[in-house]
Amino acid sequence: MAIEQDGSDGNHQAPEREVAADIFRRGLIISPFLLVLASVIWGLSGLACGSIALGIVLANFIAGAWIIDWAVKISPQLLMSAVLGGFVLRMGVITGTILPIRNQAWFEIMPFALILIFLHLGLLIWETRYVSATLKYPGLKPRVKRQNRKKSLD
Amino acid sequence: MLSLIASTISILAAAVTEGEGLKAIGAGLGYGLAAIGPGVGIGIVVGAAIDAMTRQPESAGTARTTMFLGIAFTEALALIGFVVFILLLP
């Protein structure tokens, strides 16, 4: 997962993909807990709706990062239209996924809504703690170097 | 896309015939209004990031990372609007 970054010449590879992959990994880590919780409270319907919400959130992050990476590779001028177009497209896909199934007997709105909103925000807040703001490492903070620095300070 | 439009039309038609048309209109308006704010916000975030990248190409990676997180935080508003839309739909 580690991506070589060189902040000196501006030739970065894909920091947003690195961040999105890290968010995806954290989402997979926390997903069993959320799905078990949803299935305990709402039964199998909660499990199904929670799984759909989880898939939407994680796929949304990956798709957003992929669109930005694709647009930046072509030109910065394309970035604005690609990001806004991607936003509309992703909202359309989410709406198109949920509208046909929302009247099904097994569809529970509460686990779906709670997991969709709180997982999205929670993963972002969790990830923000690990994002680097340095030019040397524009993606994630290098953990090994941070630990070494801490040891050297000790 | 056509199936999405068809399902939306059928849902709205069913809502109107059942006398719950205002609820459907309110849900649609709510979702549309809730998407305006994130649209403007994403535009501001991406515009500032492009400005930063063109002024300082060496900091493009940092700007892109911050931009991605800013976009994702802004999108949360649209997701909340979507949930309200689903809740309001008859």
Side-chain angles (χ1 to χ4, degrees):
Chain A
M1 195 186 73
I3 295 173
E4 294 294 327
Q5 304 284 349
D6 185 2
S8 59
D9 58 0
N11 187 22
H12 306 296
Q13 291 190 359
E16 60 280 328
R17 275 174 63 180
E18 190 183 356
V19 171
D22 207 48
I23 289 174
F24 190 85
R25 186 178 60 81
R26 292 181 202 283
L28 289 184
I29 289 171
I30 203 169
S31 61
F33 171 73
L34 290 176
L35 294 180
V36 166
L37 190 67
S39 60
V40 165
I41 298 174
W42 290 281
L44 280 178
S45 303
L47 180 66
C49 297
S51 304
I52 292 170
L54 185 79
I56 285 175
V57 169
L58 297 183
N60 192 33
F61 280 125
I62 296 294
W66 184 84
I67 288 171
I68 292 172
D69 186 40
W70 172 79
V72 167
K73 275 180 191 168
I74 296 172
S75 78
Q77 286 78 14
L78 183 66
L79 189 61
M80 180 69 86
S81 52
V83 170
L84 284 174
F87 168 66
V88 173
L89 185 71
R90 279 178 286 139
M91 284 296 120
V93 168
I94 292 171
T95 309
T97 306
I98 298 305
L99 271 186
I101 62 170
R102 69 174 188 90
N103 282 331
Q104 300 292 322
W106 53 268
F107 188 76
E108 290 275 352
I109 186 69
M110 286 313 288
F112 173 79
L114 290 176
I115 289 181
L116 188 75
I117 293 172
F118 287 106
L119 183 67
H120 186 91
L121 285 174
L123 284 177
L124 276 175
I125 292 168
W126 192 3
E127 185 64 22
T128 305
R129 295 183 61 212
Y130 297 94
V131 166
S132 170
T134 64
L135 293 179
K136 183 68 178 172
Y137 299 101
L140 300 175
K141 289 176 186 172
R143 286 183 197 149
V144 176
K145 294 200 173 183
R146 192 175 55 189
Q147 286 168 355
N148 289 340
R149 189 178 61 194
K150 191 178 177 185
K151 281 179 187 171
S152 67
L153 287 175
D154 293 338
Chain B
M1 199 62 183
L2 284 176
S3 62
L4 171 64
I5 294 169
S7 65
T8 306
I9 290 172
S10 64
I11 287 166
L12 289 176
V16 169
T17 53
E18 290 168 11
E20 295 186 335
L22 286 178
K23 264 190 179 180
I25 292 171
L29 277 177
Y31 189 25
L33 290 172
I36 289 175
V40 173
I42 288 172
I44 292 171
V45 168
V46 178
I50 292 173
D51 194 23
M53 282 190 279
T54 50
R55 283 175 188 269
Q56 285 187 298
E58 69 273 11
S59 68
T62 308
R64 281 166 63 184
T65 306
T66 313
M67 178 185 73
F68 177 68
L69 288 174
I71 290 170
F73 270 112
T74 314
E75 270 183 17
L77 292 172
L79 287 177
I80 292 169
F82 170 71
V83 166
V84 172
F85 164 71
I86 292 292
L87 281 171
L88 283 179
L89 265 186

